[in-house]
Amino acid sequence: MAVRHIITFPDARLRSVATPVTVFDEALEQLVTDLLDTLRAAPGIGITAPHIGVPQRVVVLELSAEDGVRAYINPQIVWASAELIRHPEGSVSMPGVSEEVERPARVRVRYQDLSGAEHVEEAEGLRAVCHQHEIDQLDGVFWTQRLSRLKRERVIKRYEKARGATRG
């Protein structure tokens, strides 16, 4: 168990496409444990391996204590609803700022578990938003890229201001 260093915006590694996991072993289990520890320390509700500098397609979500921790290996969205919802989003790599993003309200995600077995999950609401947000990250799409240019510039300015205040 270890809290890992989180890469912060605008690090170029946050725009890199993660590679698929091909080996399902103890090292993968340790990575998931480290991601969970790092997520809780951040704090946040979702994290990917690229957030800690590991370019693999691994996501850990912990939306609530009741729902528990879920790990998704090589997740991909195989269907998305035409219906859209708006939800505030942020990132452990850009702490202190958030903005509403519009995304499909429901998705179907195909993924593997820690043993490599394939699963399909239907999600709606917050879980659907989180899946899309984290899978975007695995594809090298940082959440601010889903904003209009004006909103993106405002979010970046707020982040830079907040970041400057914590350094000073």
Side-chain angles (χ1 to χ4, degrees), residues 1-167:
M1 297 188 341
V3 174
R4 303 265 203 105
H5 172 75
I6 295 174
I7 294 171
T8 55
F9 179 86
D11 193 299
R13 292 174 288 178
L14 295 170
R15 296 259 177 106
S16 297
V17 177
T19 58
V21 171
T22 57
V23 178
F24 295 80
D25 60 4
E26 288 179 17
L28 178 61
E29 290 178 21
Q30 185 61 55
L31 174 61
V32 167
T33 299
D34 289 355
L35 282 168
L36 178 59
D37 291 343
T38 306
L39 174 68
R40 288 175 171 167
I45 59 174
I47 193 167
T48 66
H51 282 116
I52 62 168
V54 178
Q56 291 188 301
R57 298 187 75 80
V58 178
V59 173
V60 172
L61 297 180
E62 186 176 37
L63 304 186
S64 68
E66 304 80 43
D67 195 41
V69 177
R70 298 189 191 185
Y72 301 88
I73 315 302
N74 300 323
Q76 57 181 337
I77 295 170
V78 295
W79 173 85
S81 68
E83 177 191 359
L84 302 175
I85 58 171
R86 296 183 67 75
H87 199 280
E89 295 187 29
S91 175
V92 295
S93 289
M94 194 181 212
V97 295
S98 64
E99 185 60 64
E100 280 197 346
V101 177
E102 189 173 66
R103 296 187 183 267
R106 294 180 313 283
V107 294
R108 184 175 303 125
V109 177
R110 179 178 295 126
Y111 67 97
Q112 291 169 279
D113 63 23
L114 286 171
S115 67
E118 287 200 16
H119 301 273
V120 175
E121 177 177 296
E122 303 270 342
E124 63 183 346
L126 178 60
R127 181 167 300 282
V129 167
C130 289
H131 276 307
Q132 294 169 83
H133 176 101
E134 303 303 353
I135 291 170
D136 268 357
Q137 184 64 64
L138 297 178
D139 292 337
V141 178
F142 198 67
W143 73 277
T144 56
Q145 292 173 262
R146 297 288 181 192
L147 301 172
S148 69
R149 187 175 63 89
L150 179 61
K151 282 187 177 182
R152 182 171 46 254
E153 288 172 358
R154 287 180 182 166
V155 164
I156 291 169
K157 282 183 183 175
R158 286 197 322 258
Y159 172 66
E160 289 170 345
K161 185 176 179 181
R163 196 170 176 199
T166 59
R167 287 184 180 171

